[in-house]
């Protein structure tokens, strides 16, 4: 074989590996061209800023004189707190009373909070971000008393639940959030990344999300899961900085991207990354697979140790809780609405500190006016 022929064969082999041109990053480097192409297309769609209201526009008029107790997993969780704020706003609009009881992040605290909520005898109770199986006795008491329960991130899937007995559970689809978070890493890295995944396995919703993220990342052989960090959310502020320092020591430049089931991990990671001299814009480039609280938007907009989030529309979901309770009180079924998946970056946030579909407040108020 001549040198010219050998060179031609080598060039053809390089160009043909994955279908991309030789000497480029992209499909040829990733070894997962179909996955990479799909990830790029899905991320482009999710980053679109067209967020017109696609939720309910009809339903029962406001049932007067109701009271709601919101039992929070912990109000230090910005997602839980953001929904509580939206719930208060919606309750004022419909003319109801709301009380928030903080479970403070521990099983004993959550059980005590839900027990107190049942004793108060409200019209409805919100399971705010915790596993109802932790509170089976209190849930049974509420059911026996005829108090409807609505969950926010209480179980894996949106919609009604028979076990545990929830009129409905409000969340984006965990499958969509997990997939787009992983796709963002695949697309941004051209299919070659070293990833750390932060999660809280004590919350079934979070554990499911983390498992789905792992599965999607594994679809691209060039993406390596370096570490799976199980840090309970109530312990995040204490444990995350130390864990991040350890990860930097272990992996160095191999650590290029991070995914967290909640943005708050990056608030706690930032000081350790800064102390290690890491640039605010990365690497590692970090995406939060929920919940899109204001501090996450601020980090993204200022390019300080978080590049993206997949936000829950926290305020809208607070309003949705009120609307779903109103349907329950009126003897109507749940609305079935699930917010669409969305990715926020500095390039599409417009400097905002939250994301909600446009027009949701006006839509709900029109429904309640009858």
């Amino acid at each position: 074989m001549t040198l010219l022929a050998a060179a031609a064969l080598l060039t053809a082999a390089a160009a043909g590996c994955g279908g991309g041109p030789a000497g480029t990053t992209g499909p040829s480097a990733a070894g997962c061209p179909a996955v990479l192409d799909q990830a790029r297309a899905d991320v482009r769609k999710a980053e679109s800023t067209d967020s017109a209201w696609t939720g309910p526009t009809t339903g029962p008029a406001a049932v007067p004189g109701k009271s709601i107790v919101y039992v929070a997993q912990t109000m230090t969780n910005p997602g839980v707190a953001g929904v509580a704020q939206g719930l208060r706003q919606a309750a004022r609009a419909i003319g109801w009373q709301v009380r928030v009881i903080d479970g403070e992040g521990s099983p004993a605290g959550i059980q005590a909070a839900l027990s107190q909520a049942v004793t108060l005898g409200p019209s409805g109770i919100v399971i705010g971000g915790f596993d109802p199986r932790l509170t089976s006795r209190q849930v049974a008491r509420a059911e026996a008393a005829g108090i409807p329960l609505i969950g926010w991130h209480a179980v894996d899937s949106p919609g009604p639940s028979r076990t545990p007995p929830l009129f409905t559970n409000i969340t984006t689809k965990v499958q969509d959030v997990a997939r787009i978070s992983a796709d963002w890493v695949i697309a941004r890295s051209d299919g070659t990344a070293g990833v750390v995944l932060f999660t809280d396995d004590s919350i079934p919703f979070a554990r499911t999300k983390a498992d789905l993220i792992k599965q999607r990342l594994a679809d691209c052989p060039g993406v390596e899961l370096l570490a799976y960090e199980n840090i309970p959310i109530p312990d995040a502020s204490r444990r995350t900085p130390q864990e991040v320092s350890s990860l930097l020591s272990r992996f160095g430049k191999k650590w290029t991207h991070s995914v967290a089931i909640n943005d708050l991990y990056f608030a706690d990671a930032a000081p350790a990354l800064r102390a290690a001299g890491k640039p605010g814009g990365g690497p590692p480039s970090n995406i939060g697979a929920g919940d899109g609280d204001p501090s996450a938007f601020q980090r993204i907009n200022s390019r300080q140790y978080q590049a993206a989030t997949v936000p829950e529309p926290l305020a809208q979901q607070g309003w949705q809780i009120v609307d779903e309770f109103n349907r329950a009180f009126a003897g109507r079924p749940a609305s079935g609405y699930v917010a669409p998946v969305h990715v926020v970056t500095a390039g599409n946030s417009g400097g905002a500190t939250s994301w909600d579909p446009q027009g949701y407040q006006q839509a709900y108020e029109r429904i309640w006016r009858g």
Side-chain angles (χ1 to χ4, degrees), residues 311-334:
E312 297 280 342
L314 300 174
Q316 179 270 314
Q317 288 174 336
W319 283 66
Q320 185 178 351
I321 288 171
V322 168
D323 185 64
E324 302 291 1
F325 270 127
N326 195 56
R327 292 167 190 269
F329 300 149
R332 301 279 287 275

PDB file of all heavy atoms in Angstrom, residues 311-334:
ATOM      1  N   PRO A 311     -36.747  25.097  34.874  1.00  0.00           N
ATOM      2  CA  PRO A 311     -37.544  25.603  35.985  1.00  0.00           C
ATOM      3  C   PRO A 311     -38.946  25.020  36.040  1.00  0.00           C
ATOM      4  O   PRO A 311     -39.565  24.770  35.010  1.00  0.00           O
ATOM      5  CB  PRO A 311     -37.601  27.104  35.702  1.00  0.00           C
ATOM      6  CG  PRO A 311     -37.558  27.182  34.207  1.00  0.00           C
ATOM      7  CD  PRO A 311     -36.642  26.061  33.765  1.00  0.00           C
ATOM      8  N   GLU A 312     -39.414  24.811  37.242  1.00  0.00           N
ATOM      9  CA  GLU A 312     -40.834  24.638  37.451  1.00  0.00           C
ATOM     10  C   GLU A 312     -41.454  26.043  37.422  1.00  0.00           C
ATOM     11  O   GLU A 312     -40.849  26.994  37.938  1.00  0.00           O
ATOM     12  CB  GLU A 312     -41.125  24.000  38.813  1.00  0.00           C
ATOM     13  CG  GLU A 312     -40.579  22.609  38.987  1.00  0.00           C
ATOM     14  CD  GLU A 312     -41.441  21.541  38.342  1.00  0.00           C
ATOM     15  OE1 GLU A 312     -42.624  21.809  38.053  1.00  0.00           O
ATOM     16  OE2 GLU A 312     -40.935  20.428  38.127  1.00  0.00           O
ATOM     17  N   PRO A 313     -42.650  26.196  36.869  1.00  0.00           N
ATOM     18  CA  PRO A 313     -43.340  27.487  36.969  1.00  0.00           C
ATOM     19  C   PRO A 313     -43.952  27.611  38.370  1.00  0.00           C
ATOM     20  O   PRO A 313     -45.135  27.358  38.575  1.00  0.00           O
ATOM     21  CB  PRO A 313     -44.398  27.395  35.861  1.00  0.00           C
ATOM     22  CG  PRO A 313     -44.683  25.930  35.749  1.00  0.00           C
ATOM     23  CD  PRO A 313     -43.392  25.223  36.061  1.00  0.00           C
ATOM     24  N   LEU A 314     -43.131  27.985  39.326  1.00  0.00           N
ATOM     25  CA  LEU A 314     -43.501  27.852  40.739  1.00  0.00           C
ATOM     26  C   LEU A 314     -44.737  28.665  41.096  1.00  0.00           C
ATOM     27  O   LEU A 314     -45.638  28.178  41.789  1.00  0.00           O
ATOM     28  CB  LEU A 314     -42.316  28.263  41.618  1.00  0.00           C
ATOM     29  CG  LEU A 314     -41.035  27.429  41.428  1.00  0.00           C
ATOM     30  CD1 LEU A 314     -39.900  28.024  42.250  1.00  0.00           C
ATOM     31  CD2 LEU A 314     -41.271  25.978  41.801  1.00  0.00           C
ATOM     32  N   ALA A 315     -44.788  29.914  40.650  1.00  0.00           N
ATOM     33  CA  ALA A 315     -45.958  30.738  40.968  1.00  0.00           C
ATOM     34  C   ALA A 315     -47.213  30.157  40.319  1.00  0.00           C
ATOM     35  O   ALA A 315     -48.264  30.036  40.969  1.00  0.00           O
ATOM     36  CB  ALA A 315     -45.732  32.172  40.511  1.00  0.00           C
ATOM     37  N   GLN A 316     -47.109  29.789  39.045  1.00  0.00           N
ATOM     38  CA  GLN A 316     -48.263  29.203  38.360  1.00  0.00           C
ATOM     39  C   GLN A 316     -48.741  27.943  39.061  1.00  0.00           C
ATOM     40  O   GLN A 316     -49.956  27.694  39.184  1.00  0.00           O
ATOM     41  CB  GLN A 316     -47.908  28.897  36.909  1.00  0.00           C
ATOM     42  CG  GLN A 316     -49.022  28.252  36.100  1.00  0.00           C
ATOM     43  CD  GLN A 316     -48.994  26.736  36.170  1.00  0.00           C
ATOM     44  OE1 GLN A 316     -47.940  26.122  36.018  1.00  0.00           O
ATOM     45  NE2 GLN A 316     -50.140  26.115  36.390  1.00  0.00           N
ATOM     46  N   GLN A 317     -47.814  27.132  39.560  1.00  0.00           N
ATOM     47  CA  GLN A 317     -48.215  25.903  40.229  1.00  0.00           C
ATOM     48  C   GLN A 317     -48.914  26.197  41.558  1.00  0.00           C
ATOM     49  O   GLN A 317     -49.799  25.439  41.972  1.00  0.00           O
ATOM     50  CB  GLN A 317     -47.005  24.990  40.407  1.00  0.00           C
ATOM     51  CG  GLN A 317     -46.556  24.393  39.077  1.00  0.00           C
ATOM     52  CD  GLN A 317     -45.276  23.587  39.177  1.00  0.00           C
ATOM     53  OE1 GLN A 317     -44.464  23.784  40.078  1.00  0.00           O
ATOM     54  NE2 GLN A 317     -45.086  22.677  38.249  1.00  0.00           N
ATOM     55  N   GLY A 318     -48.527  27.287  42.233  1.00  0.00           N
ATOM     56  CA  GLY A 318     -49.273  27.709  43.413  1.00  0.00           C
ATOM     57  C   GLY A 318     -50.708  28.065  43.066  1.00  0.00           C
ATOM     58  O   GLY A 318     -51.655  27.711  43.787  1.00  0.00           O
ATOM     59  N   TRP A 319     -50.892  28.773  41.952  1.00  0.00           N
ATOM     60  CA  TRP A 319     -52.247  29.091  41.483  1.00  0.00           C
ATOM     61  C   TRP A 319     -52.980  27.822  41.051  1.00  0.00           C
ATOM     62  O   TRP A 319     -54.186  27.683  41.285  1.00  0.00           O
ATOM     63  CB  TRP A 319     -52.177  30.088  40.321  1.00  0.00           C
ATOM     64  CG  TRP A 319     -51.904  31.492  40.755  1.00  0.00           C
ATOM     65  CD1 TRP A 319     -50.763  31.971  41.334  1.00  0.00           C
ATOM     66  CD2 TRP A 319     -52.799  32.606  40.647  1.00  0.00           C
ATOM     67  NE1 TRP A 319     -50.880  33.315  41.597  1.00  0.00           N
ATOM     68  CE2 TRP A 319     -52.122  33.733  41.179  1.00  0.00           C
ATOM     69  CE3 TRP A 319     -54.083  32.771  40.146  1.00  0.00           C
ATOM     70  CZ2 TRP A 319     -52.698  34.995  41.238  1.00  0.00           C
ATOM     71  CZ3 TRP A 319     -54.666  34.029  40.181  1.00  0.00           C
ATOM     72  CH2 TRP A 319     -53.983  35.130  40.731  1.00  0.00           C
ATOM     73  N   GLN A 320     -52.273  26.905  40.440  1.00  0.00           N
ATOM     74  CA  GLN A 320     -52.914  25.662  40.014  1.00  0.00           C
ATOM     75  C   GLN A 320     -53.420  24.874  41.211  1.00  0.00           C
ATOM     76  O   GLN A 320     -54.492  24.250  41.139  1.00  0.00           O
ATOM     77  CB  GLN A 320     -51.950  24.813  39.187  1.00  0.00           C
ATOM     78  CG  GLN A 320     -52.625  23.555  38.620  1.00  0.00           C
ATOM     79  CD  GLN A 320     -51.715  22.723  37.755  1.00  0.00           C
ATOM     80  OE1 GLN A 320     -50.604  23.130  37.413  1.00  0.00           O
ATOM     81  NE2 GLN A 320     -52.166  21.536  37.391  1.00  0.00           N
ATOM     82  N   ILE A 321     -52.676  24.876  42.311  1.00  0.00           N
ATOM     83  CA  ILE A 321     -53.139  24.185  43.517  1.00  0.00           C
ATOM     84  C   ILE A 321     -54.505  24.712  43.941  1.00  0.00           C
ATOM     85  O   ILE A 321     -55.424  23.937  44.244  1.00  0.00           O
ATOM     86  CB  ILE A 321     -52.117  24.339  44.656  1.00  0.00           C
ATOM     87  CG1 ILE A 321     -50.864  23.497  44.368  1.00  0.00           C
ATOM     88  CG2 ILE A 321     -52.717  23.926  45.997  1.00  0.00           C
ATOM     89  CD1 ILE A 321     -49.707  23.754  45.314  1.00  0.00           C
ATOM     90  N   VAL A 322     -54.660  26.042  43.947  1.00  0.00           N
ATOM     91  CA  VAL A 322     -55.945  26.632  44.326  1.00  0.00           C
ATOM     92  C   VAL A 322     -57.028  26.216  43.335  1.00  0.00           C
ATOM     93  O   VAL A 322     -58.149  25.845  43.728  1.00  0.00           O
ATOM     94  CB  VAL A 322     -55.821  28.165  44.421  1.00  0.00           C
ATOM     95  CG1 VAL A 322     -57.198  28.824  44.514  1.00  0.00           C
ATOM     96  CG2 VAL A 322     -54.973  28.551  45.621  1.00  0.00           C
ATOM     97  N   ASP A 323     -56.727  26.266  42.053  1.00  0.00           N
ATOM     98  CA  ASP A 323     -57.726  25.891  41.050  1.00  0.00           C
ATOM     99  C   ASP A 323     -58.119  24.428  41.175  1.00  0.00           C
ATOM    100  O   ASP A 323     -59.302  24.080  41.045  1.00  0.00           O
ATOM    101  CB  ASP A 323     -57.178  26.168  39.649  1.00  0.00           C
ATOM    102  CG  ASP A 323     -58.227  25.909  38.565  1.00  0.00           C
ATOM    103  OD1 ASP A 323     -59.242  26.623  38.548  1.00  0.00           O
ATOM    104  OD2 ASP A 323     -58.025  24.973  37.767  1.00  0.00           O
ATOM    105  N   GLU A 324     -57.149  23.556  41.447  1.00  0.00           N
ATOM    106  CA  GLU A 324     -57.463  22.138  41.597  1.00  0.00           C
ATOM    107  C   GLU A 324     -58.323  21.903  42.840  1.00  0.00           C
ATOM    108  O   GLU A 324     -59.283  21.108  42.805  1.00  0.00           O
ATOM    109  CB  GLU A 324     -56.184  21.299  41.644  1.00  0.00           C
ATOM    110  CG  GLU A 324     -55.263  21.430  40.440  1.00  0.00           C
ATOM    111  CD  GLU A 324     -55.820  20.832  39.155  1.00  0.00           C
ATOM    112  OE1 GLU A 324     -56.955  20.309  39.158  1.00  0.00           O
ATOM    113  OE2 GLU A 324     -55.118  20.889  38.118  1.00  0.00           O
ATOM    114  N   PHE A 325     -58.009  22.580  43.948  1.00  0.00           N
ATOM    115  CA  PHE A 325     -58.866  22.463  45.134  1.00  0.00           C
ATOM    116  C   PHE A 325     -60.281  22.956  44.818  1.00  0.00           C
ATOM    117  O   PHE A 325     -61.270  22.345  45.251  1.00  0.00           O
ATOM    118  CB  PHE A 325     -58.291  23.264  46.301  1.00  0.00           C
ATOM    119  CG  PHE A 325     -57.345  22.492  47.182  1.00  0.00           C
ATOM    120  CD1 PHE A 325     -56.077  22.987  47.457  1.00  0.00           C
ATOM    121  CD2 PHE A 325     -57.723  21.286  47.750  1.00  0.00           C
ATOM    122  CE1 PHE A 325     -55.200  22.281  48.280  1.00  0.00           C
ATOM    123  CE2 PHE A 325     -56.850  20.573  48.574  1.00  0.00           C
ATOM    124  CZ  PHE A 325     -55.588  21.076  48.833  1.00  0.00           C
ATOM    125  N   ASN A 326     -60.383  24.044  44.085  1.00  0.00           N
ATOM    126  CA  ASN A 326     -61.706  24.565  43.743  1.00  0.00           C
ATOM    127  C   ASN A 326     -62.510  23.539  42.944  1.00  0.00           C
ATOM    128  O   ASN A 326     -63.723  23.387  43.134  1.00  0.00           O
ATOM    129  CB  ASN A 326     -61.569  25.871  42.957  1.00  0.00           C
ATOM    130  CG  ASN A 326     -62.867  26.647  42.884  1.00  0.00           C
ATOM    131  OD1 ASN A 326     -63.466  26.964  43.911  1.00  0.00           O
ATOM    132  ND2 ASN A 326     -63.312  26.949  41.673  1.00  0.00           N
ATOM    133  N   ARG A 327     -61.843  22.815  42.063  1.00  0.00           N
ATOM    134  CA  ARG A 327     -62.508  21.754  41.307  1.00  0.00           C
ATOM    135  C   ARG A 327     -62.951  20.627  42.247  1.00  0.00           C
ATOM    136  O   ARG A 327     -64.046  20.068  42.101  1.00  0.00           O
ATOM    137  CB  ARG A 327     -61.583  21.239  40.206  1.00  0.00           C
ATOM    138  CG  ARG A 327     -61.326  22.268  39.108  1.00  0.00           C
ATOM    139  CD  ARG A 327     -60.179  21.887  38.168  1.00  0.00           C
ATOM    140  NE  ARG A 327     -59.850  23.026  37.322  1.00  0.00           N
ATOM    141  CZ  ARG A 327     -60.394  23.269  36.126  1.00  0.00           C
ATOM    142  NH1 ARG A 327     -61.282  22.419  35.616  1.00  0.00           N
ATOM    143  NH2 ARG A 327     -60.045  24.334  35.442  1.00  0.00           N
ATOM    144  N   ALA A 328     -62.076  20.298  43.204  1.00  0.00           N
ATOM    145  CA  ALA A 328     -62.437  19.252  44.163  1.00  0.00           C
ATOM    146  C   ALA A 328     -63.644  19.663  44.995  1.00  0.00           C
ATOM    147  O   ALA A 328     -64.578  18.869  45.191  1.00  0.00           O
ATOM    148  CB  ALA A 328     -61.242  18.959  45.074  1.00  0.00           C
ATOM    149  N   PHE A 329     -63.645  20.900  45.480  1.00  0.00           N
ATOM    150  CA  PHE A 329     -64.750  21.383  46.310  1.00  0.00           C
ATOM    151  C   PHE A 329     -66.066  21.437  45.525  1.00  0.00           C
ATOM    152  O   PHE A 329     -67.147  21.289  46.089  1.00  0.00           O
ATOM    153  CB  PHE A 329     -64.436  22.766  46.880  1.00  0.00           C
ATOM    154  CG  PHE A 329     -63.200  22.821  47.743  1.00  0.00           C
ATOM    155  CD1 PHE A 329     -62.437  23.981  47.806  1.00  0.00           C
ATOM    156  CD2 PHE A 329     -62.793  21.725  48.482  1.00  0.00           C
ATOM    157  CE1 PHE A 329     -61.303  24.043  48.597  1.00  0.00           C
ATOM    158  CE2 PHE A 329     -61.651  21.773  49.272  1.00  0.00           C
ATOM    159  CZ  PHE A 329     -60.904  22.939  49.325  1.00  0.00           C
ATOM    160  N   ALA A 330     -65.963  21.661  44.205  1.00  0.00           N
ATOM    161  CA  ALA A 330     -67.152  21.740  43.354  1.00  0.00           C
ATOM    162  C   ALA A 330     -67.586  20.382  42.814  1.00  0.00           C
ATOM    163  O   ALA A 330     -68.534  20.303  42.020  1.00  0.00           O
ATOM    164  CB  ALA A 330     -66.877  22.693  42.187  1.00  0.00           C
ATOM    165  N   GLY A 331     -66.870  19.318  43.224  1.00  0.00           N
ATOM    166  CA  GLY A 331     -67.215  17.983  42.743  1.00  0.00           C
ATOM    167  C   GLY A 331     -66.811  17.715  41.316  1.00  0.00           C
ATOM    168  O   GLY A 331     -67.383  16.841  40.659  1.00  0.00           O
ATOM    169  N   ARG A 332     -65.815  18.432  40.844  1.00  0.00           N
ATOM    170  CA  ARG A 332     -65.340  18.269  39.469  1.00  0.00           C
ATOM    171  C   ARG A 332     -63.998  17.531  39.460  1.00  0.00           C
ATOM    172  O   ARG A 332     -63.267  17.532  40.459  1.00  0.00           O
ATOM    173  CB  ARG A 332     -65.182  19.651  38.817  1.00  0.00           C
ATOM    174  CG  ARG A 332     -66.460  20.463  38.774  1.00  0.00           C
ATOM    175  CD  ARG A 332     -67.357  20.071  37.629  1.00  0.00           C
ATOM    176  NE  ARG A 332     -66.800  20.542  36.369  1.00  0.00           N
ATOM    177  CZ  ARG A 332     -66.998  21.789  35.890  1.00  0.00           C
ATOM    178  NH1 ARG A 332     -67.734  22.663  36.577  1.00  0.00           N
ATOM    179  NH2 ARG A 332     -66.476  22.134  34.736  1.00  0.00           N
ATOM    180  N   PRO A 333     -63.618  16.902  38.362  1.00  0.00           N
ATOM    181  CA  PRO A 333     -62.323  16.217  38.289  1.00  0.00           C
ATOM    182  C   PRO A 333     -61.168  17.205  38.178  1.00  0.00           C
ATOM    183  O   PRO A 333     -61.366  18.396  37.898  1.00  0.00           O
ATOM    184  CB  PRO A 333     -62.442  15.375  37.020  1.00  0.00           C
ATOM    185  CG  PRO A 333     -63.426  16.116  36.170  1.00  0.00           C
ATOM    186  CD  PRO A 333     -64.414  16.724  37.130  1.00  0.00           C
ATOM    187  N   ALA A 334     -59.959  16.714  38.394  1.00  0.00           N
ATOM    188  CA  ALA A 334     -58.755  17.533  38.246  1.00  0.00           C
ATOM    189  C   ALA A 334     -58.609  17.998  36.805  1.00  0.00           C
ATOM    190  O   ALA A 334     -59.111  17.372  35.864  1.00  0.00           O
ATOM    191  CB  ALA A 334     -57.529  16.737  38.671  1.00  0.00           C
TER     192      ALA A 334
END
